[in-house]
Structure formats: C-alpha cells, structure tokens
Amino acid sequence: MTVRRQMEASSVLPYKGCTPWQGLLVTASLFTCLLLPTTAQVTIESVPPHVVEGENVLFLVHNLPENLIALVWLRRLGKMNHAIGLYAMNTKISVMGPMNSGRETVSSNGSLWIRNVTQKDTGFYILQTINRRGEIVSRTPMYLYVYSSLLTCRPPPTSFQLTIESVPLTVAEGASVILLVHNLPEKLLVLFWYKGVLVSNDLEVGRHITAKNSSVPGPAHSGRETVYSNGSLLLQNVTRNDTGFYTLRTLSRHRKIELAHVQLQVDTSLSLCCDPFTSAQLMIEPVPRHVAEGGSILLQVYNLPEELQFFSWYKRVSSIQVLKIADYIRATDSIFRGPAESRRETVYTNGSLLLQHVTEKDAGLYTLQTIDRNFKIETAPVQIHVSKPVTQPFMRVTDTTVRVQSSVVFTCFSENIGTSIRWLFNNQSVQLTERMTLSQSKCQLSIDPVMEDDAGEYQCEVSNPISSKTSVPVSLAVMNE
C-alpha cells in the first residue's frame, strides 16, 4: 500500500486499538524527521495582534502550500502527543488532538481559532503541513502572549535581576529623589545602601533588617536619607555633593548576595556655583545618556590629570586584568588592547572611550583609572544604559458606548517594561479632573461619573528614553439618559 493510501485509510478507519486521532497521526508521525523544503513561505498572522484573557484569537494562515493531504497544529515541535488538532484534506474532517481543550478549531485553510483564551494558552504554536507523498512540507511557529486581565497592564519581566530606577531621572538642588528598587529578592535578610560603587563600611548610608522591620543609619548617613522595607532609598534636600553613584547590596537566605548600582544626576543649571565639569575632579559623561541597541556611545572624559602617566579602561567596577578593555601610555603615545576588548571600542588620548554597535550586554558600569607622575591613582565610574525601541501599545475599554453618570475604564497594554505612560484625549494630553483616576502604574484611566464632555478619542503613549509609540485611538460615545 502506498503512503497516500495509508493516510487515506487511516483518516477514515482508525487502526485497531487506537483512537481516531491516533490513526490520523500514524502516517504523519513517520515523516517528522525528514528535511523540509526551503521554498515554504507559510506565514501566520494573529487576529487581533494582541489578546487579553477571555477574548478570542485567530491564527490566520497565508500562503498555504498546494497538494496537501493534512495539516496539524502542535504545542511542541515533533511531538504528536502535543497536537491540538488535525485537518484531513481528503475527507474534510477536523479531528481534535490530545492538547485540544475544546476551545480550539482547525479550519480547512489551516487557520486555528482559539476561544476564551487564558494565560495557560501563552506560548509557541506550530503549524505543520503534509503533502500527498507523506512529506512534511513546512513547519511554521507562532508565539501567543495572553495578557492576564484588565487589571494587569504589563507582561511579567523577562528577568528578575535586581534593578534601581531614579525618580525623577534628574533632580534639582533642594528637591527630593527616590531610588526605586525593582525585583527585590525573596527571603531577604538584610539590605545595605552605599555612597559610590564600592562596598565599604565607611560608605554605608544605611541598612534595613527584615526580621526586625527596622532601618539603621550608617557612617555615610547625612540625616536626609530614609531606607524603606521595599529596598528604596529616599534622599531629601538634594545638594550637588549628592551627585554620583549609589550601590544597593542585598543578602538573602543561603548567603545569596546581589549588587545593583544607580547614578544620581543633580541638575545644577540654576546654581550660582561652578560647572561640575570644570572642577578638578576626574569625571565622565556618557553621550548620549541612553543609547539604542546598535547605536554608538561616547564616554567623554573631563579633567584628566595634567601630569598623566597612563590610564586604563575596565568593564565593571573592579580593576582586574580580565576586565581590562585597554591601556594608554602617554610616554610612547601607545594604546594596548585588554582581555575585555571586543574590537568595537576606540580609545582616545584624551581618555574618552567610544563604543559602537552597542548591545544589551554592554549595559552596566565602566571604570577609568588614571595614574600621574607622582603615582597618584584616580578612578571614575560611568554607567551605560542600553534601551530597545518600544513597540506600539494597545488599548481595551470596558465599553465604547456609555451613559451619562455611569463609569468607564481604559487600560493601556504594553509589551515593554521600564516605560512611561501618557494618556491622550483628542490628540491632547489628558487633563485630569476629580472624576478621573489613574492607577499607580498609570496604565489604567478610570472616569466616574462619565459626563458628555468625555466623549471623544482616547489613546495611550508609551515611551522610554530613546523612543515612544502611541496606540490606535479608541472612541468613546456618551449617551444621555
């Protein structure tokens, strides 16, 4: 019997001792190891492109190959017991697979319809097509992310690395700033804050002890700092001397230690004192302060020692050989590459460092070390922030047509983390009234009660330091009682 006849027979009459589904898959499974033709151009489109828990989604297939005998949707490549469903072309029958929950339907055009999606539906889906010779013609993957609910506006973080955010990014002298901590480790025992990039007892600003739920000031405490139980540090009445790096060290159970650094930028433009870059202290300015992946950044150095003998650049804080990017010796005007050099760096004789074709792995601290003729050593750290352009957000609304005195909630969904959200009404920034409420993360806008003047188009804008995107507008109609 030919392969084609076997497939046809198995699609009509199940094998003895097998379910109809297993019979349909017998022939297909024989060919899962065959090499696929490189000419397959099957593409899959998600309709809608973003989906929230409880909604429906269609995986619309384009450019389906001709002369197919069957197509299969899988949740895992090469494993038929992870199949969602199969459509047999010769019998025009759609059969549910082991992974079918009763909400999935496979159509004759290859498309997959999933109703009432849940968070468990998040993941990869694979469309596999089989021709009349029993060969697998194509395998096309599709990733589905299901946003959890209208109460969750952002996807979970892709990593749980300890990070710190300065709020605001630049603080004026005399104002307050909070160094906001994200992804604090579980089973935390104690956390420490230090002034600078080094962990040293004399540089400790303060600590918080979890068991006692109490904070203790350190030697570097000025009376203006407050350490909170969530790890964040509040600094009040900021001065120009507060400029620089701060380090958070956490200690959790099993002696697990994590470090994170943040740079505090103090705006001194209104100060009557001198420009910090014209002082005698060795300083580095990243230009630009935030760089996009693939771009270039210049670590511009100010105030090199007049009697400079040589300088070295290091990746991270430690001045150890394995982290060295390059050395410069003034006597011979020579530059020597270090073990951490990636051939994307250019070192200049004025101390500056140019890094090109930046990747996310380049983010973090860099250290410049200088030595003068009197063997005086100076070090200056600088931090590189690498960002990806944001993707377009999308919106959901509880109802697009509401009555006066009722309520409505708009939710902005973004695939990006670490972004700011701004709300627009008829292409202008929303002017909040006493009837409007923003959620803590600003991803939800509630209006209660609704008035006639609230009718119009609403959008949300997400942004990071290098890019911004605005959602497709959603129109709200308001009806009188």
Side-chain angles (χ1 to χ4, degrees):
M1 186 187 296
T2 65
V3 171
R4 176 180 176 182
R5 289 176 182 173
Q6 286 178 349
M7 174 66 77
E8 292 173 348
S10 63
S11 63
V12 178
L13 298 174
Y15 284 81
K16 184 177 181 180
C18 299
T19 64
W21 165 254
Q22 291 171 322
L24 282 167
L25 289 179
V26 168
T27 303
S29 64
L30 295 175
F31 298 94
T32 55
C33 297
L34 294 179
L35 295 176
L36 305 183
T38 59
T39 56
Q41 298 293 326
V42 178
T43 59
I44 305 173
E45 174 188 6
S46 176
V47 182
H50 306 283
V51 61
V52 179
E53 193 171 17
E55 297 181 336
N56 304 327
V57 64
L58 175 67
F59 290 161
L60 185 61
V61 177
H62 301 281
N63 304 323
L64 201 63
E66 298 180 353
N67 300 318
L68 296 179
I69 193 170
L71 50 88
V72 185
W73 274 98
L74 305 160
R75 281 303 301 266
R76 188 173 299 177
L77 184 62
K79 293 183 178 292
M80 285 300 179
N81 60 334
H82 288 92
I84 299 169
L86 176 146
Y87 187 88
M89 301 296 191
N90 56 336
T91 60
K92 298 182 180 180
I93 294 176
S94 179
V95 181
M96 294 192 301
M99 295 298 292
N100 196 299
S101 67
R103 298 176 291 112
E104 299 89 355
T105 302
V106 181
S107 302
S108 59
N109 64 359
S111 300
L112 177 66
W113 175 252
I114 309 176
R115 300 179 297 278
N116 192 25
V117 296
T118 69
Q119 283 185 285
K120 292 183 179 180
D121 295 321
T122 295
F124 276 100
Y125 293 74
I126 299 100
L127 172 63
Q128 184 170 282
T129 61
I130 304 170
N131 63 20
R132 295 184 179 275
R133 294 188 299 273
E135 300 169 337
I136 296 176
V137 179
S138 64
R139 290 192 185 106
T140 309
M142 178 70 185
Y143 186 81
L144 173 67
Y145 179 81
V146 179
Y147 288 79
S148 63
S149 71
L150 290 178
L151 298 178
T152 301
C153 314
R154 301 175 187 270
T158 56
S159 69
F160 294 95
Q161 182 179 359
L162 184 67
T163 59
I164 310 170
E165 175 187 7
S166 176
V167 181
L169 184 62
T170 302
V171 59
E173 283 192 287
S176 297
V177 62
I178 187 164
L179 305 181
L180 189 61
V181 176
H182 301 281
N183 304 323
L184 203 63
E186 297 180 354
K187 300 179 180 179
L188 180 69
L189 298 177
V190 61
L191 58 87
F192 307 83
W193 273 101
Y194 301 90
K195 180 72 168 71
V197 296
L198 300 178
V199 173
S200 175
N201 290 337
D202 59 330
L203 298 176
E204 183 183 331
V205 175
R207 67 180 67 182
H208 183 86
I209 304 170
T210 303
K212 297 181 179 180
N213 193 26
S214 63
S215 296
V216 181
H221 194 276
S222 69
R224 297 174 293 118
E225 300 89 356
T226 303
V227 180
Y228 294 101
S229 59
N230 66 357
S232 300
L233 176 67
L234 173 67
L235 181 57
Q236 297 173 294
N237 193 23
V238 170
T239 71
R240 66 171 53 251
N241 293 331
D242 297 319
T243 300
F245 283 90
Y246 290 76
T247 298
L248 173 65
R249 179 168 70 105
T250 64
L251 174 63
S252 51
R253 290 186 185 179
H254 308 297
R255 298 183 179 273
K256 182 180 179 181
I257 297 175
E258 290 187 69
L259 289 176
H261 307 278
V262 63
Q263 186 174 14
L264 177 59
Q265 299 173 14
V266 179
D267 182 6
T268 59
S269 59
L270 300 179
S271 174
L272 298 178
C273 187
C274 53
D275 186 336
F277 293 118
T278 62
S279 65
Q281 184 179 1
L282 180 66
M283 299 186 70
I284 309 170
E285 180 186 16
V287 182
R289 291 194 177 276
H290 294 263
V291 60
E293 270 196 311
S296 299
I297 186 169
L298 177 67
L299 305 182
Q300 189 166 352
V301 176
Y302 296 88
N303 308 320
L304 271 181
E306 291 184 3
E307 298 183 341
L308 178 73
Q309 195 169 29
F310 64 88
F311 65 73
S312 303
W313 272 102
Y314 297 89
K315 184 77 165 66
R316 305 289 180 251
V317 179
S318 301
S319 302
I320 58 178
Q321 185 66 24
V322 70
L323 298 177
K324 183 179 289 185
I325 297 171
D327 287 318
Y328 171 74
I329 301 176
R330 173 166 285 182
T332 59
D333 195 28
S334 304
I335 296 175
F336 300 92
R337 296 175 180 173
E341 198 262 355
S342 67
R343 298 186 179 274
R344 295 177 293 121
E345 300 89 350
T346 302
V347 178
Y348 298 97
T349 57
N350 66 358
S352 299
L353 174 68
L354 175 67
L355 179 59
Q356 297 175 295
H357 308 298
V358 171
T359 71
E360 282 188 306
K361 292 182 179 180
D362 295 319
L365 286 175
Y366 291 72
T367 301
L368 172 66
Q369 183 182 84
T370 66
I371 300 179
D372 64 15
R373 289 186 179 180
N374 298 318
F375 297 99
K376 179 183 177 181
I377 299 175
E378 284 189 82
T379 60
V382 64
Q383 190 166 25
I384 292 181
H385 298 275
V386 182
S387 302
K388 290 183 177 181
V390 297
T391 55
Q392 185 178 32
F394 69 101
M395 286 176 54
R396 292 291 186 267
V397 61
T398 50
D399 201 339
T400 56
T401 302
V402 296
R403 294 185 179 276
V404 172
Q405 297 297 322
S406 63
S407 63
V408 66
V409 179
F410 298 91
T411 304
C412 181
F413 291 90
S414 172
E415 297 176 353
N416 308 105
I417 59 175
T419 57
S420 300
I421 297 179
R422 184 169 71 105
W423 287 91
L424 305 174
F425 175 59
N426 292 333
N427 294 319
Q428 300 293 325
S429 293
V430 168
Q431 302 299 316
L432 292 178
T433 68
E434 59 183 10
R435 299 179 294 103
M436 296 180 176
T437 305
L438 282 178
S439 64
Q440 185 175 4
S441 62
K442 296 185 180 181
C443 63
Q444 279 192 328
L445 172 65
S446 303
I447 307 177
D448 186 14
V450 174
M451 307 297 289
E452 288 187 55
D453 292 343
D454 297 322
E457 288 190 341
Y458 290 80
Q459 293 172 281
C460 66
E461 178 189 78
V462 298
S463 62
N464 64 13
I466 65 164
S467 63
S468 65
K469 289 282 186 180
T470 305
S471 67
V472 174
V474 172
S475 295
L476 178 68
V478 180
M479 301 174 59
N480 286 315
E481 293 288 347

